[in-house]
Amino acid sequence: DGGITQSPKYLFRKEGQNVTLSCEQNLNHDAMYWYRQDPGQGLRLIYYSQIVNDFQKGDIAEGYSVSREKKESFPLTVTSAQKNPTAFYLCASSIVPGGAETQYFGPGTRLLVL
Amino acid sequence: SQQGEEDPQALSIQEGENATMNCSYKTSINNLQWYRQNSGRGLVHLILIRSNEREKHSGRLRVTLDTSKKSSSLLITASRAADTASYFCATKAGKSTFGDGTTLTVKP
């Protein structure tokens, strides 16, 4: 089955800890994205990548880091510098980098702070 | 700033009624997309309408686009309880294009 997967479904972070959210796609898409969603709100773009070994900051990149070493993988690290990390994190991919085409979303990871 | 802004914020209707939600945007577009999000899930793509199209249908969904007014509407006909979800419009991948969405509640 083709698709985009995220793991884990729930993640707990302790104070001062870095945590990494996984995002994998087998759709052969060049572009991948990370969004943050707070309760009752829309999506805000954290980082996006249009091609392997390249990525750009979105609107709320502070306290987050990403890597794109493989086409199918785009992990997001929430660092200790992110003071309010509790949110729902969504990963997406699209065929056309930077274009206005359909995005395919994963099921999301909910991050909670202990 | 966000490109897509949905209106109304919340909509509650009875099963069988039609639901209409609107989207406004600020800059010129190549196309506009509508997505649905069930509670606690990822977004699912519903329909894409290109800038040279005025209306598009997909099952019980009807989307219109008015580029002169920079607005789009999504109509869901004969709504069902399963249509209960949040609906978002988007205009450009890779940028912050999603508004806060319209939360639709369909009562059985």
Side-chain angles (χ1 to χ4, degrees):
Chain A
D1 286 338
I4 183 164
T5 58
Q6 292 184 241
S7 63
K9 188 172 182 179
Y10 296 95
L11 186 57
F12 298 91
R13 194 191 91 164
K14 296 179 182 178
E15 291 286 340
Q17 187 181 39
N18 292 354
V19 292
T20 298
L21 286 62
S22 170
C23 178
E24 303 277 332
Q25 54 100 359
N26 61 4
L27 300 168
N28 201 32
H29 287 173
D30 284 314
M32 297 186 75
Y33 315 87
W34 273 106
Y35 294 93
R36 170 179 171 142
Q37 186 177 36
D38 291 284
Q41 297 187 26
L43 280 64
R44 292 185 290 169
L45 184 66
I46 304 172
Y47 268 99
Y48 65 102
S49 169
Q50 300 188 44
I51 198 168
V52 175
N53 292 322
D54 183 60
F55 48 83
Q56 286 81 41
K57 293 181 179 179
D59 296 321
I60 56 165
E62 187 173 349
Y64 301 97
S65 66
V66 294
S67 63
R68 187 86 188 276
E69 298 176 0
K70 298 185 296 183
K71 187 176 186 177
E72 59 270 23
S73 179
F74 190 41
L76 173 73
T77 296
V78 184
T79 74
S80 57
Q82 173 49 246
K83 298 306 179 188
N84 184 23
T86 297
F88 189 50
Y89 291 86
L90 287 162
C91 180
S93 69
S94 67
I95 293 175
V96 179
E101 300 296 335
T102 300
Q103 295 182 67
Y104 296 81
F105 284 81
T109 292
R110 191 166 299 279
L111 177 61
L112 301 166
V113 177
L114 294 177
Chain B
S1 63
Q2 293 172 329
Q3 171 77 313
E5 296 290 341
E6 296 87 356
D7 169 65
Q9 285 188 314
L11 183 59
S12 181
I13 59 174
Q14 293 294 134
E15 205 165 28
E17 294 180 340
N18 296 341
T20 299
M21 51 207 86
N22 305 295
C23 169
S24 59
Y25 57 92
K26 297 174 183 175
T27 62
S28 61
I29 61 172
N30 293 324
N31 62 49
L32 184 143
Q33 303 148 58
W34 283 92
Y35 292 82
R36 182 187 75 229
Q37 184 183 33
N38 290 90
S39 182
R41 303 287 187 92
L43 276 69
V44 174
H45 180 256
L46 294 175
I47 195 165
L48 180 151
I49 185 166
R50 301 202 180 275
S51 59
N52 60 355
E53 297 175 309
R54 291 296 168 259
E55 188 171 310
K56 198 164 184 179
H57 296 256
S58 177
R60 294 184 297 112
L61 305 180
R62 173 182 167 239
V63 170
T64 62
L65 180 64
D66 187 334
T67 53
S68 66
K69 295 181 179 178
K70 292 187 169 61
S71 68
S72 173
S73 67
L74 170 67
L75 169 67
I76 304 174
T77 60
S79 64
R80 306 167 181 168
D83 294 328
T84 294
S86 292
Y87 293 82
F88 298 89
C89 65
T91 56
K92 186 171 173 62
K95 299 294 179 183
S96 184
T97 67
F98 295 89
D100 289 341
T102 292
T103 299
L104 173 65
T105 302
V106 182
K107 301 174 186 175

